[in-house]
Structures are given as C-alpha cells and as structure tokens.
Amino acid sequence: ITRRKHAEATSSLLAAIVESSDDAIYAKDLNGLITSWNKGAEKIFGYTAGEMIGTSILRLIPAGRQDEEHQIINQIQLGESLAHLETLRQTKDGRIIDVSVTASPIKDAGGKITGVSKVLRNISERKLAEAALQQSEKKFRDLIENLQIGVVAHDPDTAIQFSNPMAAQLLGLTPD
C-alpha cells in the first residue's frame, strides 16, 4: 500500500509539473494521433485539449514540412530521441511560429515503443532578436567598411583583429 501511495503521489506530482509548464508538452501514438495535450500547448497553439486529442499532429505542421514528422516517427521507432530540432509549426489562427522540439519514445511496461512524447518551446522571440542583431551587425560593419577614416581593432598583443579598407589604404597594406 505504501509503495502504491508513493507511486500515486509521484504520478500526481509529474502530472502537475507537465500541466503547469509554459512549454507545449503532448503525446501522440505511432500513427500521429495526439493522446495528451497540456496547458502550455493550449497557450502556444490556441487549441484546447478537447480540440486536439484524437486528431492528427499534422494539423500543426505547415505545408511542406510533413516529411519532417515522418522522420521523427522513424527515429522514435528505432528507440532514439530527438533533441532541440528547430523548425516551424502552425497555430490555430494560422500563424507560423519558430519552435524547438524535443521528442522521446513512450514505452509500455514490456519496453515496446507505443508513442512519442514531445516538448515544444516557442522560440519566435529569440529568432526575431537574432535577426535584429544580425541586421544591426551588418549595418555597423557596412558603416565601418565605408568610412573615409581608417579604423583598426587589435587585441592586447597588438595583433590586428579587424581593419577597414581605408585603414589598409592609408597604411599601404592589402586588406589581407
């Protein structure tokens, strides 16, 4: 009885952790039908558990990316997990979002793989920040490259790390 109560308490704790996560945590069978759907998934995708359980996972996958899901299933059937695949998914309102997906096999008591557990994190804001940073770096590099004054950056040992074309010209050096 004590062991059973401990198992029930552990199961309840794990269920509470999954349900309270901001990440989408859901399970599907090997045919791609969703079997569980947490509050994080509701928040990210806009679908309730009632709308998703029993439906195909392909509902969330944008056109042209369905093969990706078949590859995940094949990998899981080999007993392998998938960690942090960055890809795209589609929300209920049609928006395409950037996500990071981790997938693991679900096994029955006999060790047979019966489904897939997925944890999905919306990384759209991170992707936007990365794009903004790259754009800012490009603008800065373009500005420095086109200045009509020489700019040289070096490390503490005076090894040149960067110079713009004007610096090379003023010093009589090649850009290399």
Side-chain angles (χ1 to χ4, degrees):
I1 293 174
T2 302
R3 228 184 341 230
R4 189 185 78 212
K5 284 185 178 184
H6 178 70
E8 288 172 357
T10 299
S11 180
S12 292
L13 176 63
L14 290 174
I17 290 169
V18 167
E19 197 56 31
S20 66
S21 176
D22 285 338
D23 292 337
I25 302 174
Y26 55 93
K28 63 182 187 166
D29 64 20
L30 295 177
N31 295 317
L33 296 180
I34 296 170
T35 57
S36 70
W37 187 258
N38 78 335
K39 296 280 186 206
E42 288 183 1
K43 192 162 79 172
I44 289 172
F45 290 107
Y47 291 105
T48 65
E51 291 174 298
M52 290 306 292
I53 293 176
T55 66
S56 173
I57 190 68
L58 296 178
R59 183 179 204 178
L60 304 175
I61 301 175
R65 291 207 174 247
Q66 268 86 29
D67 285 347
E68 192 177 88
E69 191 62 24
H70 298 299
Q71 291 171 357
I72 291 171
I73 290 285
N74 290 339
Q75 191 171 341
I76 293 296
Q77 287 177 323
L78 295 173
E80 300 173 4
S81 293
L82 173 76
H84 305 293
L85 168 70
E86 291 190 6
T87 187
L88 301 172
R89 291 295 180 259
Q90 188 167 351
T91 65
K92 183 177 182 176
D93 63 10
R95 287 178 298 118
I96 303 296
I97 59 172
D98 290 287
V99 297
S100 173
V101 179
T102 298
S104 303
I106 297 173
K107 298 178 182 179
D108 65 15
K112 180 182 173 198
I113 297 169
T114 59
V116 182
S117 169
K118 286 192 176 180
V119 178
L120 183 142
R121 177 167 287 169
N122 185 343
I123 59 170
S124 297
E125 287 183 18
R126 187 192 88 199
K127 288 291 197 176
L128 288 172
E130 287 172 359
L133 179 60
Q134 287 174 350
Q135 186 176 10
S136 177
E137 285 178 5
K138 183 182 179 327
K139 284 181 183 178
F140 177 72
R141 183 164 300 279
D142 289 347
L143 174 68
I144 297 297
E145 292 282 333
N146 293 306
L147 280 175
Q148 294 303 305
I149 59 171
V151 177
V152 177
H154 61 86
D155 65 22
D157 298 323
T158 68
I160 294 175
Q161 298 295 311
F162 170 84
S163 66
N164 69 348
M166 183 55 77
Q169 181 182 345
L170 291 171
L171 297 171
L173 303 171
T174 64
D176 294 337

